[in-house]
Amino acid sequence: MKEIAADETFFRYCVLTLIFSGPPTAVALKFLQAPYGKHNRSGWGPTLSPPLAWFLMESPTLWLTLLLFPFGRHSHNPKSLLLFSPYLLHYFHRTVIYPLRLLRSSSSAKTGFPMSIAAMAFTFNLLNAYIQARYVSHYKNDYEDGVWFWLRFVIGTVVFVTGMWINITSDRTLVRLKKENRGGYVIPRGGLFEFVSCPNYFGEVVEWLGWAVMTWSWAGVGFFLYTCSNLIPRARASHVWYGEKFKDEYPKTRKAVIPFVF
């Protein structure tokens, strides 16, 4: 019983850590952007190739999940397996498919990805993978709610898939443009790029909103809030970067990340 209580206490503290790490992250990113991509700059120590960095830092979402999930009391429940499949789908793409796409782009080798930033992302993914996998496989207790479970799952899945489609198609456009322009930057056009500077970030925010609805949990809400804290300030910084680089050429009507709003 003591081991069970200790595990539950540890899980709760991890969820609280996830939730309360969002605000300081947002404040920090208002003043200092992680130095990769268009915000790349020296002074952050040794670097890795971007494809390898993305693979390594996102990998806990797959291997840690596969290690933890079988030990949950709901690990053989078809509903828990179905519920967790969108999470695994996203991270299979982010850990395997996206790095391969970067690898095929000759521009990916021109700038390094700081190991320090990759290490921080790796640590976050350890924490979050533990929380999400442990919650769905063990601590979620409403699988028998019948219609309410399915209602939340269907609505959340529609939101999640919509966000994932926006995220993937926007990332594909950015990678293609960098490849066509030999690693240089141009003004992205078409699709949601006509409305916001960073539809890839908007799509990921929408994805994890859908996940919060699907899981109907503080674990899901915490992940959604942290995603907003991380990506919205970065989108704002990228929006400013585009305006400073392209000046009058950059469309004045575009928002940073949320169409028509921000």
Side-chain angles (χ1 to χ4, degrees):
M1 292 295 294
K2 289 183 178 180
E3 290 181 358
I4 294 175
D7 181 80
E8 186 170 354
T9 299
F10 179 71
F11 174 78
R12 288 178 176 175
Y13 277 121
C14 286
V15 173
L16 288 173
T17 299
L18 177 64
I19 292 171
F20 287 108
S21 62
T25 297
V27 171
L29 291 177
K30 184 176 178 61
F31 301 101
L32 183 66
Q33 283 304 313
Y36 66 90
K38 60 178 62 67
H39 302 288
N40 185 61
R41 58 190 181 277
S42 61
W44 286 75
T47 62
L48 297 169
S49 72
L52 180 60
W54 279 101
F55 171 76
L56 292 176
M57 69 188 187
E58 301 289 339
S59 66
T61 59
L62 298 181
W63 59 259
L64 185 58
T65 294
L66 296 177
L67 286 174
L68 289 174
F69 207 91
F71 293 97
R73 60 194 175 100
H74 300 304
S75 60
H76 297 294
N77 186 331
K79 286 183 178 178
S80 73
L81 297 170
L82 181 64
L83 178 60
F84 210 63
S85 58
Y87 176 93
L88 289 176
L89 179 64
H90 169 90
Y91 278 111
F92 179 78
H93 173 267
R94 185 59 70 194
T95 306
V96 180
I97 305 300
Y98 181 67
L100 288 175
R101 186 173 295 131
L102 289 178
L103 191 62
R104 291 198 299 267
S105 171
S106 59
S107 64
S108 66
K110 294 183 178 181
T111 57
F113 196 110
M115 291 179 63
S116 56
I117 300 300
M120 286 188 278
F122 181 88
T123 302
F124 170 79
N125 283 321
L126 280 176
L127 171 69
N128 192 50
Y130 166 77
I131 292 170
Q132 307 306 324
R134 194 67 176 145
Y135 177 75
V136 173
S137 70
H138 191 76
Y139 286 112
K140 187 172 175 63
N141 55 18
D142 61 353
Y143 285 115
E144 305 308 319
D145 278 359
V147 65
W148 288 111
F149 170 85
W150 289 113
L151 181 63
R152 293 192 294 259
F153 178 76
V154 170
I155 293 174
T157 298
V158 170
V159 175
F160 186 95
V161 171
T162 300
M164 189 170 182
W165 178 81
I166 294 170
N167 175 254
I168 290 175
T169 55
S170 301
D171 273 343
R172 186 180 296 134
T173 296
L174 292 174
V175 172
R176 176 179 56 80
L177 288 175
K178 286 201 72 176
K179 183 177 181 179
E180 291 174 353
N181 292 276
R182 302 179 182 276
Y185 287 95
V186 295
I187 300 175
R189 300 190 185 277
L192 280 179
F193 282 107
E194 297 300 322
F195 302 96
V196 293
S197 295
C198 301
N200 50 332
Y201 295 154
F202 173 66
E204 192 151 350
V205 167
V206 171
E207 276 187 80
W208 301 120
L209 173 62
W211 176 252
V213 173
M214 274 189 277
T215 60
W216 207 251
S217 65
W218 283 113
V221 169
F223 188 17
F224 166 68
L225 292 176
Y226 186 86
T227 300
C228 292
S229 299
N230 183 29
L231 295 186
I232 290 179
R234 188 167 180 84
R236 174 60 182 168
S238 296
H239 182 69
V240 171
W241 182 92
Y242 275 120
E244 291 176 347
K245 181 174 179 61
F246 296 105
K247 297 182 172 56
D248 292 339
E249 295 180 53
Y250 200 69
K252 304 301 182 185
T253 57
R254 283 190 195 181
K255 301 297 184 180
V257 64
I258 303 174
F260 311 111
V261 177
F262 176 78

